[in-house]
Amino acid sequence: MNLKQGSISPAIVKCDNYSEWQEKLSAEVESTTAGTPGESKEHNNESAVETNQQTNQQTNQQTNQQTNQQSNQQTNQQTNQQTNCKVSEMSGGLSAVSNAMKAREDEADVTVKPVRDERNLDTENIPKTEDLQLSLEEAFFLAYGLGCLNVLQYCEVDKASESKRSTNNNLPMTLTEMWQAFAEGNDNFIPHYIAYHYYRSKGWVVKSGLKYGVHFNLYKEGPPYYHSTYSVVVKYVDGRSLQPVGADLYSSWIPVSALNRITEQVGKEVVFCSVLKPSDLSEAAMGSPNCIRCFTVQEVLLRRWVSSEEREHKLDSANC
């Protein structure tokens, strides 16, 4: 095919054959679009790396999911098997125990009944009354000071000597018998009762101070109305030498300081009540409540001295 000169682009060489011209044109187009061979190779390598990474991530995720599912299934199966075994063992043990009990009941042919101790009292016929617990000091004050309480005699009798039971059993005790019995039961009964009687005669309500580490607590009108005002420590001392008779728990300043700190925290003050025993009082005379009038009582109020408060008090008094 013959083409006229100047009818085609100057970049294209004249060709007499149309197929040859088409091949050259396609080769030039491919060379311009494809670029350099090195860049195409790098591009292909990067795309291949990205595809490999994506495939590896997908495969790893799938494998992890499968392993987790398998492990969870195995643990669930094991726990279910263990619980089923325990339940079956417990049910089997309970059934065995129940069967053994039924067999024993059938063999004995008796019903289980509560055993009643005939020695115990019949609580159904006992009237419901309110219990009143009194200390030795309270009981003797009600009998000696107010005359409104009778204390009955009681002595344990053996079965062998039951026929020789005393005729004075369950009879009211005299004041002397009460005094001697209470003094034998508690070595500190006499000084404690004298302190108790002393504060009761002054109008105080006297209660036990065991929870505060003292012998008595003094109330104005009783525990239901007010808190106690004073904590009383009873000391039994000789009237002539003023030495303690028996053991003295507060003979040093360490327990005294601890006691003072405790009473300050609960809003109370400590009173040392010294019961002075007459030097000429015999043991025979102390066996009767008539010796109460022979004793003397002395009180000491314990307070903590604070230097700053004392200074302020002196300044206030000077300004006045």
Side-chain angles (χ1 to χ4, degrees):
M1 180 178 182
N2 294 324
L3 298 175
K4 293 181 179 180
Q5 187 176 3
S7 62
I8 60 173
S9 175
I12 302 174
V13 183
K14 294 180 180 180
C15 296
D16 294 333
N17 190 359
Y18 176 76
S19 60
E20 184 180 356
W21 172 80
Q22 191 174 6
E23 289 176 359
K24 289 183 178 181
L25 182 62
S26 61
E28 289 179 358
V29 171
E30 289 178 358
S31 63
T32 55
T33 56
T36 58
E39 292 179 355
S40 62
K41 290 181 180 180
E42 290 179 357
H43 180 71
N44 293 329
N45 292 328
E46 290 178 356
S47 61
V49 170
E50 289 179 356
T51 53
N52 290 327
Q53 289 179 354
Q54 291 178 357
T55 53
N56 290 329
Q57 289 178 357
Q58 291 178 358
T59 53
N60 290 328
Q61 289 179 357
Q62 291 178 358
T63 53
N64 291 328
Q65 289 178 358
Q66 291 177 0
T67 53
N68 291 327
Q69 289 179 359
Q70 292 177 0
S71 62
N72 291 328
Q73 289 178 359
Q74 291 178 358
T75 53
N76 292 327
Q77 289 178 359
Q78 290 177 358
T79 52
N80 291 328
Q81 290 176 0
Q82 290 177 359
T83 53
N84 291 328
C85 292
K86 290 181 180 179
V87 170
S88 61
E89 289 177 358
M90 292 175 64
S91 61
L94 292 173
S95 61
V97 171
S98 60
N99 292 330
M101 292 177 66
K102 289 181 180 179
R104 290 180 181 178
E105 290 180 357
D106 294 338
E107 291 176 0
D109 196 12
V110 294
T111 57
V112 178
K113 294 182 179 180
V115 179
R116 181 179 178 181
D117 191 358
E118 296 180 355
R119 295 175 297 176
N120 295 334
L121 296 177
D122 190 3
T123 57
E124 296 179 356
N125 297 326
I126 296 177
K128 295 181 180 180
T129 57
E130 183 178 357
D131 295 334
L132 177 62
Q133 295 180 355
L134 300 173
S135 63
L136 297 179
E137 294 82 9
E138 291 173 340
F140 192 80
F141 181 81
L142 293 176
Y144 174 78
L146 301 180
C148 61
L149 179 68
N150 289 328
V151 178
L152 302 180
Q153 295 180 358
Y154 176 78
C155 58
E156 296 181 356
V157 181
D158 296 333
K159 292 183 178 180
S161 59
E162 186 175 0
S163 59
K164 299 180 182 180
R165 184 174 296 177
S166 175
T167 57
N168 294 328
N169 195 19
N170 295 331
L171 293 178
M173 297 174 66
T174 62
L175 294 176
T176 303
E177 291 174 348
M178 289 177 60
W179 180 267
Q180 294 176 357
F182 292 172
E184 291 177 359
N186 187 2
D187 297 335
N188 297 321
F189 169 73
I190 294 177
H192 285 184
Y193 176 76
I194 291 170
Y196 180 89
H197 191 102
Y198 172 77
Y199 288 111
R200 284 298 301 267
S201 63
K202 288 184 172 294
W204 291 98
V205 178
V206 186
K207 294 295 181 180
S208 174
L210 181 61
K211 60 182 177 180
Y212 298 113
V214 295
H215 297 119
F216 298 113
N217 283 336
L218 302 183
Y219 295 85
K220 290 182 178 180
E221 296 184 6
Y225 305 101
Y226 296 100
H227 292 286
S228 59
T229 308
Y230 297 103
S231 297
V232 180
V233 177
V234 180
K235 287 190 171 186
Y236 191 32
V237 298
D238 185 72
R240 179 176 297 178
S241 62
L242 298 180
Q243 295 297 321
V245 178
D248 187 7
L249 298 177
Y250 298 97
S251 59
S252 63
W253 283 108
I254 294 176
V256 171
S257 179
L259 177 63
N260 189 29
R261 181 59 61 89
I262 292 172
T263 53
E264 280 186 353
Q265 291 178 355
V266 294
K268 297 173 178 55
E269 292 181 335
V270 180
V271 175
F272 287 101
C273 178
S274 298
V275 178
L276 277 64
K277 176 185 176 182
S279 58
D280 57 350
L281 187 63
S282 62
E283 294 294 333
M286 291 182 62
S288 173
N290 295 327
C291 67
I292 295 174
R293 61 176 65 94
C294 301
F295 286 88
T296 306
V297 175
Q298 291 182 356
E299 297 174 277
V300 176
L301 180 62
L302 179 63
R303 288 182 178 176
R304 186 181 178 186
W305 182 77
V306 182
S307 59
S308 60
E309 294 180 358
E310 185 69 18
R311 190 183 306 111
E312 292 176 359
H313 179 70
K314 288 183 178 180
L315 291 174
D316 293 338
S317 60
N319 292 331
C320 293

